[in-house]
Amino acid sequence: NADCLDPDNPVCDEGDCWPCTPAADICDVGQYCTEDNECAVGCLDIDDCPDDLVCDEDNMTCTGCVEDQDCPLGSVCEAGDCVPGCTEDQPCQDGFSCCGDVCENLADDPNNCGMCDNVCPDFPNAEDLCTDGTCEMGPCEGNWNDCNGDPVDGCETQAQCACVPGE
């Protein structure tokens, strides 16, 4: 873990740095580490829930709440269970923003990039990415290539790119 210098990805697993791993679950109370190495609202066991709440392991939710403030950030109280969500009075967990009634990560969500409901453009034949709240064209898909470097037409050809002098 000492090699992971990014505070958002402090856990080392097989040479990569992650926010957490299921084996090294360092997520905040009211969250658990998913198989994708991301902190998610909910629980896997009683240790994931705040005091006075218990983990409904079948539904992966902290339960026993009366009002939203009984639940961890990023979740609201519905019929006695803390479920993922947010309101004006119940904010999201750190690093997320309340979009409608759902917590979204505006830094890397292509459907909410930099702000709620800001959908990244569809880059033809390329992955649509949101990085640090900015839309950008990701790697080309399959046998497609981006020879002209213009994200407007994405990865525009399946032909090999011509050699560029100096490269």
Side-chain angles (χ1 to χ4, degrees):
N1 291 345
D3 292 335
C4 296
L5 303 177
D6 180 354
D8 293 331
N9 296 301
V11 178
C12 184
D13 184 45
E14 297 182 17
D16 291 318
C17 295
W18 301 97
C20 63
T21 64
D25 186 345
I26 60 168
C27 301
D28 292 336
V29 172
Q31 300 178 15
Y32 68 97
C33 192
T34 68
E35 293 296 321
D36 294 330
N37 299 330
E38 296 287 336
C39 292
V41 172
C43 62
L44 294 178
D45 58 45
I46 189 67
D47 294 332
D48 293 328
C49 294
D51 293 341
D52 302 328
L53 297 181
V54 295
C55 182
D56 176 348
E57 293 178 19
D58 292 335
N59 295 313
M60 296 174 25
T61 59
C62 296
T63 187
C65 61
V66 176
E67 57 186 32
D68 291 345
Q69 288 72 23
D70 294 335
C71 297
L73 297 179
S75 59
V76 294
C77 187
E78 286 185 9
D81 290 332
C82 295
V83 298
C86 55
T87 66
E88 186 175 303
D89 296 323
Q90 182 68 356
C92 295
Q93 66 272 35
D94 286 343
F96 286 72
S97 297
C98 192
C99 296
D101 60 357
V102 178
C103 293
E104 301 286 358
N105 184 342
L106 304 183
D108 66 7
D109 181 357
N111 294 313
N112 296 283
C113 190
M115 68 179 80
C116 296
D117 300 321
N118 184 39
V119 178
C120 290
D122 182 19
F123 297 103
N125 307 307
E127 185 177 355
D128 307 329
L129 295 178
C130 177
T131 305
D132 296 327
T134 303
C135 293
E136 58 185 43
M137 186 175 86
C140 293
E141 297 170 349
N143 294 326
W144 290 92
N145 295 299
D146 179 21
C147 293
N148 64 8
D150 185 356
V152 172
D153 62 1
C155 299
E156 76 281 354
T157 183
Q158 289 185 320
Q160 292 296 316
C161 297
C163 183
V164 178
E167 287 188 11

